[in-house]
Amino acid sequence: LSIRGRTTDNAVLCTNSKTYNIRAVSVSNTFFVGTSPTYQEEIHSSAVTGDKLVIRDSINQIFELVPCVPKIERFDAMFRGQEYGEQDEDGSDEEEVNSVDPLSERPVSTTKVTYDDLLADVQASDTELRNALKQSHILSINSHLRPIAPAYLTHILVLVLNTLSTISSQQTQGKVKIPDITEPLEFQHHIPREVTTQVLEWFGITTNGEWEMDKLEVVKAVGYGTLMKYKERPVDQIQFIDEWAEAVGDAYAEHVGLKILEGNYLSNSTANGVQLKFFPSSELPADPATRFADLFLTRPRWSAEDIVPFLKSIAVDAKERDKLLLKFARPVTENGTVWYTARTTHL
């Protein structure tokens, strides 16, 4: 068990795999902590007959542990300006990264992050932290952690799919030798082998020098990268699906579908068809009240089907999610469809 976070954070307790909020609760009755007497105490209390209990302390407050989602929102600030992309293909890894602040347009310098830095600052268990690094696509380069640029990741995955199509005859039960992928990407496309190897680990199972691809996750990531282009302007749904299917190729087009991208886009029906716009839940605030405020600023009302995918990362389970909906949203049923609007008292 460990208490994690900065001294200014509300403390959380972590096991190897779970994170818990710590809540102090005053109790109306006093609890006594009692133990059997020591040998010396037994001698001194020999006049007392029967079983004996020595009261060591009294307690008027206890701590409750409440399961919570890992608090990884600090990733954004810690990794800002440190994306690994095509410009890093020479393999250099300086102690500091020079980047430009998007607001002031001035160069900024940020010291790179190590795993020990995350253990000290991020309130998450070891298992949750490793999963978050994988899901956030954080590379480990010379013991430094750097998020891979989404466009660069999409580029690598498309190259992996293209490579697989050329060596399909060499695959055994869906598995392929890792060098059969890393070597062509390194020598033909200048993708460092260290980077490709980690990407393969994110999107499949690597055992005994072989890789078995998680097809759905790879297709999803390519779809995400394709959708990113449409953050400022919407795209026709059919056009987007066609672009996505073309990017993954005929062998994997059957896995293309908007269902696997839920929580990353907004859809809007128009006279010309359905329009999609990139709207990732990962960029929404982690604080529930602020997240709901942002969601209702984006849309005055949401159907249950549409809003639920944007709440998965702030609720440990469906029960907790429903509590948040009751607290921050007002349900209204129209023609059999449940719609949620803002509870203005929380905005």
Side-chain angles (χ1 to χ4, degrees), residues 225-243:
T226 305
L227 187 60
M228 283 186 65
K229 299 183 295 183
Y230 302 104
K231 186 172 186 178
E232 302 300 328
R233 58 185 178 88
V235 60
D236 179 76
Q237 178 176 311
I238 296 176
Q239 176 189 335
F240 168 69
I241 293 293
D242 289 343
E243 286 184 29

Side-chain angles (χ1 to χ4, degrees), residues 188-299:
Q188 298 175 25
H189 304 283
H190 311 293
I191 310 293
R193 191 173 308 197
E194 181 182 17
V195 172
T196 304
T197 300
Q198 291 182 64
V199 170
L200 296 183
E201 291 171 352
W202 297 338
F203 293 96
I205 301 173
T206 55
T207 52
N208 301 321
E210 293 184 321
W211 179 59
E212 184 176 1
M213 178 174 62
D214 187 331
K215 297 177 183 178
L216 201 60
E217 284 300 311
V218 172
V219 171
K220 177 182 177 180
V222 173
Y224 183 93
T226 305
L227 187 60
M228 283 186 65
K229 299 183 295 183
Y230 302 104
K231 186 172 186 178
E232 302 300 328
R233 58 185 178 88
V235 60
D236 179 76
Q237 178 176 311
I238 296 176
Q239 176 189 335
F240 168 69
I241 293 293
D242 289 343
E243 286 184 29
W244 185 5
E246 183 180 356
V248 299
D250 293 340
Y252 307 99
E254 63 178 305
H255 300 290
V256 169
L258 288 177
K259 183 70 176 177
I260 62 176
L261 287 181
E262 283 185 339
N264 292 298
Y265 67 89
L266 297 175
S267 62
N268 183 37
S269 296
T270 69
N272 297 320
V274 178
Q275 300 288 304
L276 305 179
K277 197 172 184 181
F278 184 60
F279 187 76
S281 58
S282 60
E283 294 185 6
L284 291 171
D287 172 64
T290 312
R291 175 167 296 203
F292 274 94
D294 279 14
L295 287 172
F296 288 120
L297 282 174
T298 303
R299 281 183 174 176

Side-chain angles (χ1 to χ4, degrees), residues 60-289:
N60 296 96
Q61 188 181 68
I62 61 174
F63 291 116
E64 286 185 349
L65 301 181
V66 183
C68 65
V69 294
K71 304 176 188 298
I72 62 169
E73 59 271 12
R74 198 160 277 161
F75 274 17
D76 290 342
M78 297 181 74
F79 291 120
R80 185 174 294 123
Q82 301 189 45
E83 283 191 340
Y84 184 99
E86 191 173 355
Q87 73 280 1
D88 300 288
E89 287 180 350
D90 60 358
S92 62
D93 189 58
E94 301 295 333
E95 181 64 27
E96 295 198 348
V97 179
N98 293 320
S99 58
V100 176
D101 187 292
L103 297 178
S104 64
E105 297 186 349
R106 295 177 180 175
V108 295
S109 180
T110 53
T111 302
K112 289 187 182 176
V113 180
T114 66
Y115 188 75
D116 287 342
D117 294 330
L118 296 185
L119 290 177
D121 285 354
V122 177
Q123 295 182 297
S125 68
D126 290 348
T127 299
E128 291 168 328
L129 190 55
R130 286 192 295 269
N131 289 339
L133 290 173
K134 178 180 178 179
Q135 292 166 6
S136 300
H137 305 140
I138 309 294
L139 291 167
S140 177
I141 306 293
N142 297 332
S143 300
H144 293 138
L145 301 177
R146 298 180 64 182
I148 193 169
Y152 188 56
L153 174 61
T154 304
H155 172 62
I156 293 175
L157 290 175
V158 170
L159 291 176
V160 168
L161 293 177
N162 291 340
T163 303
L164 284 174
S165 66
T166 64
I167 60 172
S168 56
S169 60
Q170 302 176 37
Q171 298 183 46
T172 305
Q173 296 181 339
K175 297 180 181 179
V176 60
K177 289 182 171 54
I178 292 176
D180 289 344
I181 299 176
T182 57
E183 290 179 2
L185 264 64
E186 182 173 33
F187 297 126
Q188 298 175 25
H189 304 283
H190 311 293
I191 310 293
R193 191 173 308 197
E194 181 182 17
V195 172
T196 304
T197 300
Q198 291 182 64
V199 170
L200 296 183
E201 291 171 352
W202 297 338
F203 293 96
I205 301 173
T206 55
T207 52
N208 301 321
E210 293 184 321
W211 179 59
E212 184 176 1
M213 178 174 62
D214 187 331
K215 297 177 183 178
L216 201 60
E217 284 300 311
V218 172
V219 171
K220 177 182 177 180
V222 173
Y224 183 93
T226 305
L227 187 60
M228 283 186 65
K229 299 183 295 183
Y230 302 104
K231 186 172 186 178
E232 302 300 328
R233 58 185 178 88
V235 60
D236 179 76
Q237 178 176 311
I238 296 176
Q239 176 189 335
F240 168 69
I241 293 293
D242 289 343
E243 286 184 29
W244 185 5
E246 183 180 356
V248 299
D250 293 340
Y252 307 99
E254 63 178 305
H255 300 290
V256 169
L258 288 177
K259 183 70 176 177
I260 62 176
L261 287 181
E262 283 185 339
N264 292 298
Y265 67 89
L266 297 175
S267 62
N268 183 37
S269 296
T270 69
N272 297 320
V274 178
Q275 300 288 304
L276 305 179
K277 197 172 184 181
F278 184 60
F279 187 76
S281 58
S282 60
E283 294 185 6
L284 291 171
D287 172 64

